[in-house]
Amino acid sequence: MSRRKSGTATSHDVARVANVSQALVSRAFTGNGRIAPETRERILKAAEQVGWQPNALARSMVTGDAPLVAVITTRLNFDWRAQVLSRLLKAIQEWHLKPLLFYAESDAEVDRLLEEALSWRARGVIVTAGVVRENRAAAIIEKGQFLIALNRPANHEKGFSVATDNPLGGRMAAGLFLEEGRRRLLVLGGPQGSWAPSLRAEGFSEAAREAGLHAAIWNNDAMSTEAGRACAERLLALPGSEQPDAVFATNDAMALGFLDGLRGHRSIPDDIALIGFDNLPAADWPPYRLTTFEQPLEEMMRRLIAHVDVHGDGHSGGQAEDQQPQEESEPRARLIHCKPKLITRMTAGKTE
């Protein structure tokens, strides 16, 4: 029998050439059941002759041992999430697993994608966007899969969540402004109810209240450079006595747009000090030199990988030694907090 065109041969062709049953062909490639060495060799040679390779994904889906990890993400034009995804995909490859990527246009679509991910026999689910509803979390855990939520709660006692300590970042930003004598404080926040940005804003506001000050919060539906420029226009329209002298943007994209919107109108940091969050590459560019917070991505990835390693050893309900929740962790959600790092540049604080 001549070699078929690549991709058209089947296991039936292998069986005919090797003069064995199709069941023996399957046994030769899966390793399930006994087969004589000479028979296996004949089958392998026949498969090579006809140009057939078994469908590893289909076979593993049937056996329930698919080497897949479902990853839920959204808005890859958002630099921080792109950084997260690149490190996450690298880690998955190092586990000798394959990522099954689900992409949402918005956080609102995440719940639907989680439902879709449940139809795949993946080893686990990693969520980097949106909200993990309790019923979805329970369904994932009940299937014996691991559940990891990155920078958001897992909402299940057997799920695992690792996040930047967002309230601490907000408090640190307020503390720096207070040390510099700033008193008119403003927060550029995210959408109402957004998890990480809201926690950053709450931490900032709490520290301001403890100092006897009030921090205004301007929420933005899109945490983009365009939103930052719009906030700059709004600030410039205020009477001079009402304009803030310190602004904490809950992500770098808004901070960078805010800086662009103030160019030629206000001196930074003399008139207004500014701090962002995420330490995007552009934050260090000469036109910006933005003081910001670097999220502890490497530590978060290390803890995430440790959890997957524990789950892979058949201890899905356990925890690695270095993953014991810190005092500020939330026991029910097994939420591990990692401290952000303040990067001081030209817009606030003492420069590097």
Side-chain angles (χ1 to χ4, degrees), residues 268-338:
I268 307 294
D270 294 337
D271 297 330
I272 302 173
L274 176 65
I275 298 175
F277 211 104
D278 288 337
N279 195 28
L280 299 183
D284 196 30
W285 292 355
Y288 301 108
R289 297 291 292 153
L290 175 68
T291 293
T292 185
F293 287 93
E294 180 176 270
Q295 297 204 50
L297 187 53
E298 295 303 326
E299 181 183 356
M300 292 162 72
M301 287 294 107
R302 179 178 62 81
R303 291 178 177 273
L304 183 155
I305 289 168
H307 177 75
V308 173
D309 286 344
V310 170
H311 188 280
D313 289 337
H315 304 291
S316 59
Q319 232 175 353
E321 287 185 8
D322 68 342
Q323 284 184 285
Q324 295 300 322
Q326 301 167 12
E327 291 182 3
E328 68 273 26
S329 301
E330 301 172 16
R332 183 180 183 280
R334 292 176 60 194
L335 174 56
I336 304 298
H337 286 116
C338 302

Side-chain angles (χ1 to χ4, degrees), residues 85-341:
L85 190 60
S86 65
R87 286 170 171 79
L88 191 55
L89 294 180
K90 182 176 183 292
I92 291 173
Q93 289 179 329
E94 290 174 351
W95 299 329
H96 304 291
L97 299 175
K98 304 296 181 184
L100 182 64
L101 191 62
F102 292 85
Y103 179 76
E105 288 294 335
S106 68
D107 285 354
E109 296 181 38
V110 168
D111 187 61
R112 175 183 61 80
L113 293 181
L114 279 169
E115 182 179 19
E116 184 178 340
L118 281 167
S119 65
W120 292 79
R121 294 188 179 184
R123 305 282 178 84
V125 180
I126 300 175
V127 186
T128 71
V131 176
V132 183
R133 300 184 186 277
E134 291 187 6
N135 63 326
R136 295 284 184 235
I140 292 168
I141 297 298
E142 287 169 6
K143 288 188 67 175
Q145 300 173 335
F146 64 77
L147 170 63
I148 293 174
L150 190 62
N151 248 355
R152 65 209 65 250
N155 288 324
H156 193 284
E157 60 184 4
K158 292 185 178 180
F160 178 76
S161 178
V162 60
T164 299
D165 193 332
N166 294 294
L168 176 62
R171 293 185 66 87
M172 291 171 66
L176 189 151
F177 287 150
L178 295 173
E179 287 177 5
E180 294 185 339
R182 310 284 178 169
R183 291 295 179 267
R184 299 189 306 277
L185 310 177
L186 170 65
V187 178
L188 305 186
Q192 291 279 2
S194 57
W195 192 71
S198 294
L199 289 176
R200 294 165 194 168
E202 288 171 12
F204 187 94
S205 297
E206 185 178 69
R209 284 194 300 272
E210 291 172 359
L213 301 174
H214 170 72
I217 300 177
W218 293 354
N219 290 108
N220 297 272
D221 290 336
M223 299 176 67
S224 61
T225 54
E226 291 78 8
R229 283 192 287 269
C231 287
E233 292 178 8
R234 179 178 174 182
L235 181 147
L236 292 172
L238 295 173
S241 60
E242 297 180 16
Q243 292 184 9
D245 61 2
V247 176
F248 173 47
T250 52
N251 80 343
D252 278 356
M254 290 191 297
L256 298 176
F258 186 77
L259 278 172
D260 286 336
L262 291 183
R263 288 189 199 284
H265 301 283
R266 295 291 181 273
S267 174
I268 307 294
D270 294 337
D271 297 330
I272 302 173
L274 176 65
I275 298 175
F277 211 104
D278 288 337
N279 195 28
L280 299 183
D284 196 30
W285 292 355
Y288 301 108
R289 297 291 292 153
L290 175 68
T291 293
T292 185
F293 287 93
E294 180 176 270
Q295 297 204 50
L297 187 53
E298 295 303 326
E299 181 183 356
M300 292 162 72
M301 287 294 107
R302 179 178 62 81
R303 291 178 177 273
L304 183 155
I305 289 168
H307 177 75
V308 173
D309 286 344
V310 170
H311 188 280
D313 289 337
H315 304 291
S316 59
Q319 232 175 353
E321 287 185 8
D322 68 342
Q323 284 184 285
Q324 295 300 322
Q326 301 167 12
E327 291 182 3
E328 68 273 26
S329 301
E330 301 172 16
R332 183 180 183 280
R334 292 176 60 194
L335 174 56
I336 304 298
H337 286 116
C338 302
K339 183 179 179 180
K341 178 183 178 181

